[in-house]
Amino acid sequence: MDGDADALARVVRNLLDNALRYAVRRIEVSLRVCGGTAQLVITDDGPGIPEPDRHRVFDRFTRLDDARARDAGGSGLGLAIVRDIITAHHGSIDSEDAAPGARLVVRLPADGI
């Protein structure tokens, strides 16, 4: 499958920006292709995403920490944009626990790789 390189670069940028914002000391990035699916995983050691909010973080204007200043915490659009781009490319994104931290997993079709 061909993809929009600029849009997919935005996915990586947005996910790394979030990881940088919340990480305490460590960010891990991995990319692998298995069985026709590319899997990008970005993990940080920050506060993580509470289990009940793991789907909600991909909704527009969702910010989990209301006490955070808007200029420091973002607008709540980054992960919604990521989800929209991934969906347009026939993929999926999931938020998982990294204990501690968050683990965001992007899966995209990688036909021919």
Side-chain angles (χ1 to χ4, degrees):
M1 170 183 182
D2 292 324
D4 180 333
D6 291 334
L8 293 170
R10 186 171 188 181
V11 165
V12 174
R13 227 177 10 257
N14 283 4
L15 292 175
L16 287 174
D17 284 348
N18 274 1
L20 285 168
R21 182 178 293 131
Y22 297 109
V24 174
R25 295 189 140 148
R26 179 181 48 87
I27 296 171
E28 294 177 7
V29 179
S30 68
L31 177 64
R32 70 183 188 134
V33 177
C34 185
T37 300
Q39 180 175 289
L40 170 67
V41 179
I42 298 179
T43 306
D44 68 65
D45 64 348
I49 301 169
E51 202 277 325
D53 295 321
R54 290 195 187 138
H55 291 291
R56 191 171 74 88
V57 295
F58 299 107
D59 294 340
R60 293 187 180 279
F61 306 112
T62 296
R63 296 180 46 196
L64 298 183
D65 185 0
D66 293 332
R68 193 177 323 160
R70 180 164 298 279
D71 57 347
S75 64
L77 287 173
L79 291 178
I81 291 168
V82 165
R83 183 201 53 207
D84 290 348
I85 292 169
I86 296 302
T87 300
H89 285 81
H90 308 288
S92 65
I93 183 165
D94 294 298
S95 172
E96 301 174 355
D97 186 29
R103 181 176 191 257
L104 295 170
V105 181
V106 174
R107 292 176 184 88
L108 290 165
D111 302 331
I113 296 180

